[in-house]
Amino acid sequence: DTGRVESYDPSGRKNWSIQTGATEMGFHGSAAIVEGVAYIGGYNGDLYAIDVDSGDLVWHVTSADLAGALAIGSSPAYYEGVLYVVAEYWDPSAGALWAIDAETGEPIHVDDRMWGQPHPSATIDLEEQRLVAGSNDGAVYAWTFPCLDFEWKFQAGPEGGPDGTVKADGEFNHGAQVKGTAPTFDGRVYVGSWDNHVYCLDITDGEELWSVETGDIVMSNPAADPNEDVVYVGSSDHYVYALDAQTGEEHWSTNVGGRVISSVTVTDETVLVGSSGSYLYALEKETGEPRWRVENRGYVTSAAVPLDGRIYYAERAVVDGYYDDDDEFDLVEPGHAYCLVGD
């Protein structure tokens, strides 16, 4: 949230650090790394391309270059030299999908039909030739890929989302926000919503195939396992669910001691997930039984990334009074990045 981008080697030694202009609210998305360049959007509405080896800035696209973007909370998606970035706008509350030349940063295409300041990253399904993204208006949007002709819109609800009009101050009626990036496979899209539901949609036309209600809002990114035909998703009701990808039938649910904000990561045998209970959990994929858990300082809000026998993840800082009405709070403990090794 300081607006810095930093690189570390596997031992934890810092390689480099670069200060960007995203100093007010920092970075909410992950970087896309392609051929030695890291692409990341800031919550100031700017997009940065950074050399992975040196930390030097390759190019910088400003908010003004993106029609006055308020913020980029999504992670860029990349395909064949093009970045696909979802940007947020204010007055009115809206969003846009941008296609940007990855080599130069030059905008190529924009579709500004989204509403409600979208946070999720775009999902590209090459087999079905679709690009899918959700938004805070409770809707999921889909385009053909790579030509980006608009195909369909699915509205979660029924209480959430816009009622077809924008209020005078630019705010939409909320209640079914889609915050997480939607995985796809086998012609289906899996979406979590703040209306407490997980939806399975036909990626071709947006038809709802099934939905499952949890005990609270669904904010995290679901994880789909095509080999097992199972979708794993966390909810703010403190549970992680394993759902049959074809029917939505529950295989198991496990309490992880806090709200699940982070993405769910699935390996061959394990489901990795963090929670507001300040633990990172490893759950048995077949049964949901906890294999182990590691206690941290703050909320575990990032995805856990397994690589070469290690697990990398990050936490949110510990703050006192952050959710109070007076907008004043104290930093108790900075957020940390972690690397787990061994058993």
Side-chain angles (χ1 to χ4, degrees):
D1 281 349
T2 60
R4 301 194 70 82
V5 179
E6 299 182 342
S7 166
Y8 295 83
D9 68 18
S11 72
R13 180 181 62 86
K14 183 185 288 187
N15 296 320
W16 50 258
S17 177
I18 180 174
Q19 179 66 57
T20 73
T23 55
E24 190 68 25
M25 296 186 71
F27 295 94
H28 290 213
S30 305
I33 301 177
V34 184
E35 297 180 352
V37 180
Y39 304 96
I40 189 166
Y43 225 66
N44 59 343
D46 291 7
L47 183 66
Y48 303 88
I50 303 169
D51 185 276
V52 168
D53 291 330
S54 66
D56 294 335
L57 194 64
V58 178
W59 51 253
H60 170 210
V61 174
T62 69
S63 167
D65 298 323
L66 301 178
L70 170 70
I72 299 175
S74 68
S75 303
Y78 175 94
Y79 182 70
E80 291 192 343
V82 179
L83 297 171
Y84 299 89
V85 179
V86 178
E88 305 174 38
Y89 297 84
W90 176 248
D91 196 22
S93 177
L97 171 68
W98 289 86
I100 295 171
D101 188 296
E103 183 177 356
T104 66
E106 187 72 24
I108 300 171
H109 175 84
V110 62
D111 188 319
D112 61 358
R113 73 181 63 243
M114 304 176 78
W115 291 104
Q117 296 181 353
H119 295 314
S121 309
T123 300
I124 297 172
D125 190 316
L126 295 177
E127 183 175 344
E128 300 295 334
Q129 296 184 322
R130 290 289 188 274
L131 183 149
V132 179
S135 185
N136 272 343
D137 61 353
V140 181
Y141 298 80
W143 294 261
T144 56
F145 188 82
C147 64
L148 298 183
D149 290 333
F150 183 69
E151 281 294 318
W152 53 261
K153 173 184 175 182
F154 170 82
Q155 181 67 59
E159 297 297 332
D163 59 2
T165 62
V166 181
K167 296 179 182 179
D169 59 1
E171 286 283 358
F172 268 90
N173 293 331
H174 291 305
Q177 294 95 312
V178 176
K179 298 279 191 178
T181 300
T184 69
F185 79 93
D186 198 25
R188 299 176 180 223
V189 184
Y190 300 93
V191 179
S193 169
W194 277 29
D195 69 356
N196 302 358
H197 285 76
V198 180
Y199 294 92
C200 174
L201 310 177
D202 187 303
I203 197 170
T204 303
D205 57 14
E207 177 188 0
E208 180 182 328
L209 302 178
W210 55 255
S211 65
V212 171
E213 186 173 7
T214 71
D216 208 331
I217 66 173
V218 180
M219 184 169 181
S220 73
N221 299 353
D225 188 336
N227 296 324
E228 303 293 335
D229 215 25
V230 175
V231 175
Y232 304 87
V233 62
S235 170
S236 287
D237 66 2
H238 298 194
Y239 280 84
V240 175
Y241 297 84
L243 306 175
D244 186 283
Q246 299 296 323
T247 66
E249 180 183 357
E250 182 181 311
H251 293 318
W252 53 256
S253 60
T254 299
N255 191 318
V256 291
R259 295 182 293 117
V260 180
I261 303 173
S262 63
S263 304
V264 180
T265 301
V266 178
T267 70
D268 285 344
E269 298 179 348
T270 308
V271 177
L272 299 171
V273 62
S275 78
S276 64
S278 300
Y279 283 93
L280 178 73
Y281 284 82
L283 308 178
E284 294 281 356
K285 195 164 71 170
E286 293 298 320
T287 65
E289 289 295 317
R291 177 176 293 171
W292 50 257
R293 67 178 189 173
V294 172
E295 187 174 10
N296 306 281
R297 299 168 176 86
Y299 295 1
V300 179
T301 53
S302 79
V305 181
L307 179 67
D308 295 335
R310 299 182 174 205
I311 300 172
Y312 302 89
Y313 64 99
E315 69 181 359
R316 179 175 292 179
V318 180
V319 293
D320 184 23
Y322 184 79
Y323 294 103
D324 294 345
D325 294 335
D326 57 9
D327 292 329
E328 293 185 5
F329 58 90
D330 296 320
L331 177 65
V332 178
E333 180 81 26
H336 289 70
Y338 292 91
C339 173
L340 304 185
V341 298
D343 295 331

